[in-house]
Amino acid sequence: MKTPGRDFGPVSMLFEMTRDDNPRLYDDLMRFNKGTKRINRLRFLAHEGLLAQNWMLIPAAVAPTAPQSAGIGSDGFDLGAPTLTNQSFAQPLTE
């Protein structure tokens, strides 16, 4: 078994998908022509997804107990409050 954090050389993959697999990801990747831009977009999304797995998600109904280091924005919102981020990605309101 290989130890994480050690350099064992580049990783090469053949990535294939159809729109039926994941329509949102497919449409996002199709914005770019074949080649470097599309690969870089996939690399970026994979990196962000890996970071997101380590974030602590706090339910939107729970207010933060301590002020965050990001400070208060000009509109009065706490820019560091994780509840604001969680609300941004919540299910849309129904009419």
Side-chain angles (χ1 to χ4, degrees):
M1 185 168 144
K2 297 184 179 185
T3 307
R6 294 195 53 193
D7 185 13
F8 293 103
V11 176
S12 298
M13 293 182 236
L14 173 62
F15 179 78
E16 291 185 14
M17 73 177 300
T18 64
R19 192 168 194 283
D20 293 336
D21 295 334
N22 188 329
R24 290 177 66 189
L25 177 59
Y26 181 87
D27 291 344
D28 185 74
L29 292 174
M30 291 305 291
R31 293 184 306 143
F32 303 98
N33 292 332
K34 292 192 279 187
T36 306
K37 288 183 180 180
R38 191 180 290 173
I39 295 298
N40 285 338
R41 179 64 178 166
L42 183 59
R43 183 181 294 128
F44 172 78
L45 292 172
H47 182 259
E48 291 298 307
L50 185 61
L51 291 176
Q53 284 183 337
N54 295 322
W55 290 344
M56 176 189 283
L57 296 178
I58 299 174
V62 177
T65 56
Q68 302 293 324
S69 60
I72 305 297
S74 60
D75 54 4
F77 288 107
D78 182 357
L79 300 176
T83 54
L84 293 177
T85 303
N86 290 345
Q87 289 173 355
S88 299
F89 296 104
Q91 293 295 322
L93 298 174
T94 57
E95 293 185 26

